[in-house]
Amino acid sequence: MNSQPESAKAVEQRKREHIQIPLSQDVSYKTKTTMFEDVILFHNALPEINRLDIDTSVKFLNHPIKAPIMITGMTGGAKEAAVINKNIARACQKLGIAMGLGSMKAMIVEPSLTYTYQVREVAPDILLAGNIGGNDLRHFSVEVLKKALKDVGADILAVHLNPAQELVQKEGQAEFADVLKTIADYSKKLPIYVKEVGQGLSPEVVKKLSQTNILALDVSGAGGTNWIDIEYKRRGLDFGPLSNWGIPTALAVHLASQNTKLPILASGGIRTGQDVIKALILGASIAGMAIPALKSGNQSYEAVEESLGNLIKEVGDIMFLLGARNLDEVKKIKPMIVGRLREVIASASEVI
């Protein structure tokens, strides 16, 4: 770990590696799943509706979106990110879904990198989230963060919590004292939601954050992209002692829904329309993903549009096969929860 502030050049190089490694190597969890496989949905052979009547739209953070999907923040701060972000943003604009940017620390430290985050030219109407690390909040004033949001045209600031990643990161600053207090103070002055980066939010953390003025939570659970392993790979290792650390996404969504009234964004290994629907049934308002969009965004705008368009179609198809006309009806569906997820939920109810 390094307690010294990073230089602008070092931040840009780290951001570049955070793009290159997921594009070129397998960075998914190897021995942990999202647990969505333990959520069983029952096929409805008599849906009594027409497929064309399915409405996938939802309002999230007072912003209407056409499908319950957000491309969550992952990149910015390196020249490669500029094209990727614009490809993703164009597709989000065309499809009417939400988008998050990667950590804006790089552009705050080095303003010449601001262009790598700017997407409003191609996506004037989407719900757009800026991003900053929870342990970086103490370094930047509310005014600085307001300016950063204005510079990229973001509607809200995502504050990401990544203590496990910081532990493993070679430049990591695992300094999280008073982060909750800072979030509480800043959330009175800025529109903020809080997210993990792939290890999940526990019920205790959810309860604490719910006492602040934040507007939503992204549980960002384990089972998809593993940022701990990305950091190990940056150090020349394939895995390490924390490689399997985290709360599976399905479990994190369920537990969060039992411990907060805030809107929940479910991310962490969301890959299919079934994953999206299962997340909503477990208590999420929308679902998010990042790496699939990063990969298609590195190819072209058309690749992103095709990939996300297929995902949105699949969400509607699953709704039809469940007999749900809209997302309110989806949330009334009772799934069968089996296997390990059922066992862990039962055990958790005894201690939470």
Side-chain angles (χ1 to χ4, degrees), residues 23-203:
L23 289 176
S24 61
Q25 301 182 53
D26 179 7
V27 291
S28 60
Y29 274 84
K30 305 302 186 297
T31 58
K32 188 185 288 287
T33 75
T34 61
M35 288 191 172
F36 281 122
E37 69 274 13
D38 288 342
V39 181
I40 308 301
L41 302 180
F42 290 102
H43 170 63
N44 185 346
L46 280 173
E48 292 293 306
I49 53 177
N50 299 322
R51 174 62 179 87
L52 291 177
D53 295 331
I54 298 297
D55 179 10
T56 62
S57 66
V58 66
K59 183 173 283 190
F60 184 65
L61 299 175
N62 293 318
H63 200 291
I65 55 179
K66 293 182 180 179
I69 295 168
M70 181 175 193
I71 304 307
T72 54
M74 59 187 151
T75 192
K79 64 179 182 179
E80 297 91 336
V83 173
I84 293 172
N85 275 334
K86 283 192 175 179
N87 284 341
I88 294 171
R90 282 184 63 194
C92 288
Q93 174 73 22
K94 177 72 176 292
L95 298 170
I97 61 175
M99 177 183 175
L101 300 167
S103 172
M104 298 189 298
K105 178 179 179 179
M107 63 170 265
I108 295 174
V109 173
E110 178 48 68
S112 67
L113 295 173
T114 300
Y115 79 98
T116 67
Y117 299 85
Q118 291 174 326
V119 299
R120 280 303 189 191
E121 177 185 353
V122 298
D125 305 312
I126 65 173
L127 170 62
L128 182 66
N131 191 323
I132 198 73
N135 62 329
D136 286 322
L137 279 181
R138 68 189 187 279
H139 298 307
F140 305 121
S141 68
V142 169
E143 290 69 28
V144 166
L145 295 172
K146 282 183 178 179
K147 182 179 185 303
L149 292 176
K150 182 178 180 181
D151 287 344
V152 299
D155 302 294
I156 191 168
L157 179 66
V159 175
H160 68 260
L161 305 178
N162 63 336
Q165 183 188 13
E166 293 286 353
L167 276 177
V168 177
Q169 190 176 100
K170 57 186 177 183
E171 313 90 344
Q173 297 178 356
E175 299 169 356
F176 279 76
D178 297 324
V179 168
L180 177 62
K181 181 181 183 302
T182 307
I183 290 173
D185 291 343
Y186 280 34
S187 67
K188 297 174 184 176
K189 305 168 186 176
L190 288 167
I192 285 174
Y193 77 92
V194 174
K195 68 187 299 295
E196 237 285 349
V197 300
Q199 279 68 57
L201 296 177
S202 68

